[in-house]
Amino acid sequence: MTLDGDSLPAQRIARSSTLTQSCDVTGIERLDVTVGAIPVVVHRPQGSSGAPGIVWVHGGGYVVGASAPDDRRAERWAQRFGAVVVQPRYRLAPEHPFPAALHDCLGAVAWARAQAGTIGLDADRIGIGGSSAGGGLAAAVVLATRDRGLPAFRFQALVAPMLDDRRTTPSSRWTVPVWPPSSNAYGWAAYLGGLGGDDVPSHAAPARASDLSGLPPTLITVGAVDGFLDEDVAYAQRLWHAGVDVDLRVHAGIPHGIGLVAPHSPAVRAVLDELDEWIGHRLG
C-alpha cells in the first residue's frame, strides 16, 4: 500500500466501510461510548466482573482509521480470554497532528480505569498493545504513563510498531510490498506536523527515548520483510539493556500489515496465533 495526500481519502473510506456496528459472538457484548473527543469501542464478556483488560490501538500510519480485523480480534480475545478489550478510535493526522492521538489514547485508558466497575474490568490487570502506528502509540502511552507516574500496565504487545521518525536504518529504505518508504515518510510528516529534528519528543517517536527502564514486560513481533524491522529489533535490544523483560519475534518472509495481508495463510496464521498465545498468557 502506497499512501499519500491524494490516496488518503480513498484509503479511509475503504477501511471505514468494513467496520462492524454490532457483535455476533456468543456471550460477548459491544459497548460504544464517547470519551472526550473520540469514540471508544469496548468488547467484554456479558456479565463480566473483575476481568483482565487490554487496550488495543489500531494501526494505519497515524492517518487511517480502524478496520474490521480490529473488531474481530477484540471479539475473539474477549471470548477466548474472558477479557475486556478497549479500542480507542483516536483522532487522525494530518487534521489532528501530535499530540492529539496520544492524548486520546491516554484519555481512553483513564476512562477504562475510572469505569472499571461498570464495564467489569480489573483496573490492576490492564495491558496495552497495537499494530504499526498503533504499536507506536501503545509504546508512547507506556512511556508517558511511566513519566507521569500513572498506574503501570501489566504488559505491552507491539506488532511491527512504527517507532522512529528518523527513518535512517537500512530496512527503512527497503522497497517493501506494504508500507514503502514514501508512505512511511508521509505518515510521519502528517503526524508530526511542524515538528522535526531534535524537536521531536519521545512521546511522539518512542525510539527517541533516552531511558527505557521501568517499562512492563514487552512483546515485539515483526516480519523480516518489513521496513520497520531494524527499528523494532533495536528497540527490543535497548529494552533488554534497560532491564525490561522482552520477547522479540522476527518472522521470515512476513511483510508489514500481517492482519491485512493474506490473514488466512498458514505463515500469517502462525504469527497471529503466537500473538494470541503471548497475550493470553499475560492476561491469565
Side-chain angles (χ1 to χ4, degrees):
M1 176 181 69
T2 299
L3 189 64
D4 56 26
D6 293 333
S7 62
L8 179 59
Q11 293 284 355
R12 286 179 172 175
I13 291 171
R15 280 223 183 183
S16 64
S17 66
T18 67
L19 283 175
T20 59
Q21 298 300 318
S22 62
C23 178
D24 299 323
V25 176
T26 302
I28 302 302
E29 63 179 346
R30 170 180 172 139
L31 307 175
D32 289 271
V33 301
T34 299
V35 178
I38 65 162
V40 173
V41 180
V42 178
H43 287 88
R44 65 170 190 164
Q46 293 176 353
S48 64
S49 176
I54 179 168
V55 177
W56 188 258
V57 189
H58 69 77
Y62 298 107
V63 296
V64 179
S67 61
D70 295 294
D71 284 337
R72 297 282 84 86
R73 180 185 295 112
E75 293 168 358
R76 186 176 74 250
W77 285 346
Q79 184 181 59
R80 181 174 176 182
F81 305 131
V84 176
V85 186
V86 178
Q87 301 174 92
R89 309 292 207 218
Y90 54 86
R91 288 170 291 173
L92 302 173
E95 297 89 342
H96 304 282
F98 173 82
L102 176 65
H103 287 170
D104 292 343
C105 293
L106 286 167
V109 172
W111 173 85
R113 292 190 182 279
Q115 297 297 318
T118 302
I119 61 176
L121 174 65
D122 181 349
D124 293 324
R125 290 195 295 156
I126 301 176
I128 190 169
S131 59
S132 191
L137 272 169
V141 168
V142 168
L143 287 170
T145 294
R146 180 204 61 184
D147 295 345
R148 299 177 184 185
L150 299 172
F153 292 98
R154 294 291 291 268
F155 63 82
Q156 59 176 341
L158 312 179
V159 179
M162 186 174 174
L163 300 169
D164 197 343
D165 67 295
R166 293 165 292 193
R167 311 187 314 282
T168 57
T169 67
S171 71
S172 70
R173 296 188 289 270
W174 289 349
T175 304
V176 290
V178 179
W179 203 248
S182 59
S183 298
N184 198 30
Y186 174 74
W188 276 116
Y191 183 55
L192 295 177
L195 295 175
D198 293 338
D199 293 333
V200 178
S202 60
H203 292 176
R208 288 180 175 263
S210 59
D211 177 13
L212 297 180
S213 63
L215 300 183
T218 300
L219 170 70
I220 294 180
T221 181
V222 62
V225 192
D226 191 321
F228 295 152
L229 173 64
D230 290 341
E231 66 195 65
D232 291 354
V233 170
Y235 199 70
Q237 291 174 324
R238 293 184 56 219
L239 286 166
W240 274 321
H241 295 161
V244 177
D245 177 8
V246 182
D247 189 345
L248 172 66
R249 313 277 182 96
V250 178
H251 299 277
I254 298 296
H256 194 66
I258 58 172
L260 301 174
V261 178
H264 302 297
S265 75
V268 172
R269 189 67 258 164
V271 176
L272 297 175
D273 286 345
E274 280 191 7
L275 174 65
D276 285 3
E277 180 182 2
W278 193 92
I279 287 179
H281 174 71
R282 294 293 175 180
L283 289 174

